[in-house]
Amino acid sequence: MSTIDPMDIFRAEAAELLEQIEQGLLDLEHQLDDRAQIDSVFRGLHTLKGSGAMFGFDALAAFTHHCETAFDRVRKGLTPATTDLVMAVLAARDHMRALVDDPNGDHAAVGAELLRKLQDAVAGGSGQPAAAAPIAEAPKSFAVDETVPPATAGKDDGSELHRWNIRFSLPRDTMVNGTNPLALLDEMRDLGEADVRVDLSRVPPLDAIKPTELYLSWIVTLTTDRPRADIEDVFIFVMDEMTLELEDLGPVGATETIPVAAPAEIAAAAATPIAVPVAVEPIHNAASAADKTSPAAGAAATDAKAHRKAESVRVPAERLDELMDRVGELVIAQSRLTQIAGSSLDTQLRTVSEEMERLCSELRTTMMVLRMVPVGTLFERFRRLVHDLQRDTGKTIELVTAGETTEMDKTVIERLADPLVHLVRNAADHGLESPEGRRAAAKSEIGRVTLSARQVGGEVIVTVADDGRGIDRDKIRAKAEASGLIPTGAALSEQEILQLILQPGFSTAATVTNLSGRGVGMDVVKKTVESLRGTIDISTRLGEGTTIALRIPLTLAIIDGLLVRVGKGRYVIPLPAVEECLELSLEEDLRSRGRSFLSLRGSLVPFIRLREIFSTGTKPDPYQKIVVVSTGEERVGLVVDQIIGDHQTVIKSMSKLHDDVATFSGATILGDGGVALILDVANLVAAGREQEAQLRATA
Amino acid sequence: MMNLATELSTPPWRDDGELEALTFDIAGETFALEAAIVREILDLLPETAVPGARAFVGAVVNFRGKVIPLADIRLAFGMPSAEATIDSRIVVVEVEIEGTPTLVGLRTDKVTEVLTLRKSDSEPPPRVGMRWPTELIECLIKCGTSVIIFPDLRAIFAANGRKTSSEADIIRHPKS
Amino acid sequence: MEHIADSLDPTPPPSSLTIRDIQTLHGLITKALSGKDPVRVAFKDDVAVDLSFIQLIEAARLSARNDGKTFSLLRPVGGNVRRVLERGGFLSPTNPDAARFWLHEEVTP
């Protein structure tokens, strides 16, 4: 059993923190007084610094410390959040990423420059030098405290000494994540007189302990004049996942009260393994309720975040892939068992086989769900892209996202990233008009790019839409004819014309000014989407905008297929592409020699004799079948020797040694252990199209 | 012609100049591959032809639930293919192809033994007099009275029929 | 960790008593406790130490108690280890057992 490398955990954690920091900064840029985001950025920086130091990323820790200090000042109201500051920290955040990726590289010069900018930003905002004021030296009363209403009656001035009974336990992965619980305890001691007692009752014996996890919890009796919010503030970095019980034992004064938690009771709790009752109250809610300085919007944002951070387990992706492989093998073994049971008279065997089949199917479904991640994780990256595009294009662009909770297979999401970058960039660069252009067209100066996702049946449709100038079909046609992509005057549907922009040959041209650039990389988009067994729909209205929809099947790993035989080989045709199956009559066969077209309800459909292109060297079966497949609008008939039947297929990729074979998109293992290749329908349809073009040319 | 591929990967001799190698026979010659890359030795498996693939990787097999390509060194070396015999085995090796670790099955006539080879016994393939293309051979190793051929798998998988890979090699090693 | 008494493990002892080496330490202590009885542990006071180690020793104490074995420290702790114990609230006067184990002190409550 492999163990997880703590460094990998740190890198994964750092990536998430950097993401959190970036998102927070981008939000702040729009609303500079957003308390929730200021806290979020500060927390991110603080945790990154701590984890970095713990895992030996000293340069990262040192650099991040300065940004954290700056944000601590913002948080305490000593320095206002300004656009300059946000930009400076945003730049610094990119540098942190470099420090994570390459901790031993020479980054000093860049770092120094960034820090200088950061200092300028802080000094510019507050009118005082940004000398890194350590947190401990910060003034005792924070500006924000004045607006915090007293959480408990009887401490209006907040200066009265109260005794608090605090019990808390931290998430199991606290230590791995680099948070040092001792620092929290020290912070609590800073608040007043603290009596700290550890609770060992949840520490398991040696053979059951995961030594990197935290089982300790603490009971603290604190005597302080600080308000509840200050105590909660101690836990600001971990509060999303911890449990905290905060009990006000009342004022300490003339009537000295004995703490409720008597020492004897604590000792008993520590000695015997009795679970200490802990009120599972996410401190988080209390904090946002107390934080009246932020308007409802801020609170809503934090709530949404809490929702997103629902309890989860971090699993390395390759383990999921391994598990998927095992499930795949199980499905294969199961289909063998079904075969054997089917030909057996043993009813008990049949019953067991059916039960296994049900379980396998459920396991498969569960497995699929495990691999699903919300597409929002992908969308978040685009806010930065649009932010940069605004700067580069001089256009004001609003990015609207919708359907972030739509889930897709993890691998699919990763592979969609690049195509979507192309599409969003194109929409911003070329789809949207200049501000003057928009004014002239009586549109809002703010161009809008919408990124959305929704699930329809077995597909997820990811859409990139802009409200720009739209695509001129006539110009595309002219361009395609000029470049020889299509014959002059070819009869093409509107969709067919639009699809031309996806062709590799259809590149930028001065004559198509409003499209320049759209050709670049679009063939890459097409290729990627097709490799995901997806399709692209384009719709556009002149002057109103363009929408490009990527229709992607929900999962890559398992498809339903039609198993056929050609010569001695067995092949799988993805079922969603199959339109119908026909018999190729002898006369049709003879008549079509040299032509290979089939008249199907009045329209001509090209057909491909797979036996010929596969060079099987066998005699055709007397009654050949035609499987008609399509990719939306185009169709092609595939002539096969035999249709074996439906087959649920676990897709295995082919090695790089077979990269040059475009006819197949993968392979699968059959019930008898043999291998069947999966036909790439898009490729075969293209081959059919060529055949058709040849025929038209010679006709 | 300069043999660029050979420069890229010589047998990974240990510091003491020795190497554990698996030897096997193909077409009456003895071949060797470093034992470290060998994953498994299998009896013949049902093969599935891949129409349109290059002849020397013309089939795939099911290796423990994975679909792996089956390579035939005979065909790579331009020799006619041969019928399988009772001694025929598939040697599954893990090699890096275009940066991806890949399992590949090699057809062999017979697997003989694991030997310790010495660097001092090795020499580059002669320019003339070889019945096989020298650029696909890493080196020859004398072992008693016989000669063992150490094939260059990387060159074999890169060279055969696809220009892109060998071009890439040239770009990485310009002839200055 | 200097050594674990009664353990002949040739593995070099880890350089710190922190989460970086905690897996190794876990292995060492588990092995020691599965062997002879009693087991006594010794470590330097100036070594880097964090809560994960203290927690591990507490787990070992619990295991030893469950198995009726004797598990103790060769000498009372000081330096860094003691500071972590104090900061973490392990040496509360309400828990004389802890003082006995870690400090070899008898505390009269």
Side-chain angles (χ1 to χ4, degrees), chain A residues 54 186 189 206 213 218, chain C residues 19-20 26 55 63 87-88:
Chain A
M54 173 165 165
D186 288 348
R189 289 189 181 94
L206 213 48
E213 297 191 347
W218 282 270
Chain C
I19 193 159
R20 287 189 211 204
H26 183 223
Q55 179 177 271
S63 286
R87 287 171 72 196

Side-chain angles (χ1 to χ4, degrees), chain A residues 54 175 181-182 185-186 189 196-198 200 203-206 209 211-216 218 263 267, chain C residues 19-20 22-23 26 29-30 33 51-52 55-56 58-60 62-63 84 86-90 92 94:
Chain A
M54 173 165 165
M175 296 193 297
L182 293 177
L185 294 168
D186 288 348
R189 289 189 181 94
V196 178
R197 291 173 303 263
V198 73
L200 300 171
V203 177
L206 213 48
I209 195 171
T212 54
E213 297 191 347
L214 183 71
Y215 301 87
L216 304 170
W218 282 270
Chain C
I19 193 159
R20 287 189 211 204
I22 204 70
Q23 299 279 10
H26 183 223
I29 293 179
T30 305
L33 266 177
L51 274 179
S52 66
Q55 179 177 271
L56 185 66
E58 290 291 356
L62 177 60
S63 286
V84 169
E86 281 166 353
R87 287 171 72 196
F90 288 85
S92 165
T94 58

Side-chain angles (χ1 to χ4, degrees), chain C residues 64-84:
Chain C
R65 257 202 310 276
N66 291 347
D67 300 347
K69 293 193 172 185
T70 305
F71 179 78
S72 60
L73 303 183
L74 201 60
R75 51 175 177 263
V77 300
N80 288 342
V81 182
R82 176 149 191 173
R83 261 193 298 284
V84 169

Side-chain angles (χ1 to χ4, degrees), chain A residues 294-356:
Chain A
S294 79
T302 18
D303 276 355
K305 191 162 198 184
H307 180 68
R308 223 187 303 145
K309 279 204 174 161
E311 208 171 312
S312 64
V313 183
R314 198 186 299 274
V315 180
E318 54 271 28
R319 290 207 184 158
L320 270 191
D321 292 344
E322 263 171 41
L323 188 56
M324 188 70 216
D325 277 354
R326 292 297 95 75
V327 171
E329 282 168 42
L330 189 64
V331 169
I332 291 160
Q334 164 58 35
S335 67
R336 270 175 98 165
L337 177 62
T338 308
Q339 251 177 27
I340 295 165
S343 56
S344 161
L345 295 174
D346 186 338
T347 48
Q348 275 186 321
L349 177 64
R350 281 168 177 248
T351 314
V352 174
S353 164
E354 277 161 25
E355 179 74 1
M356 283 282 288

Side-chain angles (χ1 to χ4, degrees), chain A residues 565-567 611 618 620-621 623-625 639-643:
Chain A
R565 185 177 56 79
V566 179
R611 221 164 27 77
T618 56
D621 276 26
Y623 298 102
Q624 294 191 74
K625 307 290 187 299
V639 182
V640 302
D641 283 324
Q642 185 194 352
I643 291 171

Side-chain angles (χ1 to χ4, degrees), chain A residues 502-577:
Chain A
L502 303 173
Q503 294 299 317
F506 196 88
S507 60
T508 65
T511 46
V512 199
T513 47
N514 63 341
L515 280 177
S516 64
R518 269 208 199 264
V520 178
M522 286 301 269
D523 59 316
V524 178
V525 174
K526 181 179 159 82
K527 229 174 143 181
T528 311
V529 170
E530 282 177 355
S531 76
L532 294 170
R533 296 183 294 113
T535 54
I536 303 178
D537 290 345
I538 306 169
S539 59
T540 187
R541 270 168 185 267
L542 264 185
E544 289 180 29
T546 303
T547 299
I548 298 185
L550 314 181
R551 307 169 70 97
I552 312 288
L554 262 178
T555 175
L556 277 182
I558 297 185
I559 59 165
D560 286 319
L562 187 68
L563 189 62
V564 301
R565 185 177 56 79
V566 179
K568 287 177 189 155
R570 288 172 293 179
Y571 301 89
V572 172
I573 304 171
L575 210 50

